[in-house]
């Protein structure tokens, strides 16, 4: 809804507009810090996966209470008295869907981390083998 560039990412200006429309405007520095906190690929914009990470961190208590990201996460809460049971049902079904996406996201992150560890171990083994060969040639 807020991806005005239709590129699949929320950039700084789109985040600024979104926060203003949601009634929680942020400073330029605050917006940059919001992106930085969940920007895993360091591209300066939020992918859908990184956007979901905001809510995952909020649920895990990993966001500071006065941060812009916490404000965004709180804006996603629902008042059943105001929205009614049908609205709450839709909201929570969407939340369950988002949480299942977050679980898939966690699994993908773990797999990527494991792959990096394996690559690092292979690199260490190659370096040790190279040192052994170098030592054999230098004596």
């Amino acid at each position: 809804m807020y991806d005005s560039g239709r590129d699949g990412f929320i950039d700084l200006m789109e985040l600024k507009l979104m926060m203003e429309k949601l009634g929680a405007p942020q400073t330029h520095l605050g917006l940059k810090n919001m992106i930085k906190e969940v920007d895993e690929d360091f591209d300066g914009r939020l992918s859908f996966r990184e956007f979901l990470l905001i809510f995952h961190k909020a649920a895990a208590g990993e966001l500071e209470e006065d941060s812009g990201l916490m404000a965004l996460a709180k804006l996603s809460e629902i008042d059943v008295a105001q929205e009614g049971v049908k609205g709450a049902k839709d909201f929570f079904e969407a939340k369950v869907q988002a949480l299942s996406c977050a679980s898939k996201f966690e699994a993908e992150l773990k797999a990527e981390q494991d792959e990096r560890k394996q690559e690092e171990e292979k690199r260490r083994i190659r370096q040790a083998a190279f040192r052994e060969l170098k030592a054999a040639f230098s004596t």
Side-chain angles (χ1 to χ4, degrees):
M1 184 166 134
Y2 295 102
D3 180 17
S4 59
R6 301 286 182 237
D7 58 358
F9 296 93
I10 300 287
D11 62 26
L12 186 75
M13 292 311 291
E14 291 167 339
L15 182 61
K16 178 182 185 295
L17 180 65
M18 177 176 66
M19 294 303 289
E20 288 172 354
K21 283 188 177 182
L22 293 173
Q26 301 291 313
T27 65
H28 186 77
L29 187 58
L31 293 165
K32 281 186 162 189
N33 287 335
M34 288 173 66
I35 290 174
K36 183 178 176 183
E37 193 167 344
V38 292
D39 187 14
E40 295 180 326
D41 55 5
F42 307 108
D43 64 354
R45 54 192 187 161
L46 300 177
S47 66
F48 183 67
R49 166 186 259 156
E50 292 164 339
F51 187 77
L52 290 177
L53 187 59
I54 296 168
F55 302 100
H56 178 72
K57 284 186 169 197
E62 297 174 9
L63 297 177
E64 291 183 27
E65 213 37 58
D66 60 343
S67 73
L69 291 180
M70 183 56 88
L72 179 59
K74 285 183 178 179
L75 289 170
S76 67
E77 294 176 352
I78 190 165
D79 180 5
V80 177
Q82 181 180 353
E83 298 296 326
V85 176
K86 173 83 170 103
K89 175 184 175 277
D90 294 342
F91 175 81
F92 287 111
E93 285 176 351
K95 279 287 197 184
V96 167
Q97 178 66 26
L99 287 175
S100 71
C101 288
S103 295
K104 290 176 189 173
F105 172 66
E106 285 176 2
E108 287 177 15
L109 278 178
K110 176 122 176 76
E112 288 175 9
Q113 289 170 347
D114 290 343
E115 186 177 324
R116 281 190 210 120
K117 285 178 186 177
Q118 289 174 354
E119 290 294 323
E120 183 63 26
E121 184 61 30
K122 287 177 184 178
R123 188 179 65 79
R124 275 185 253 156
I125 290 170
R126 285 192 312 265
Q127 285 178 339
F130 178 78
R131 276 187 238 116
E132 286 178 24
L133 285 173
K134 182 180 175 185
F137 283 110
S138 16
T139 42

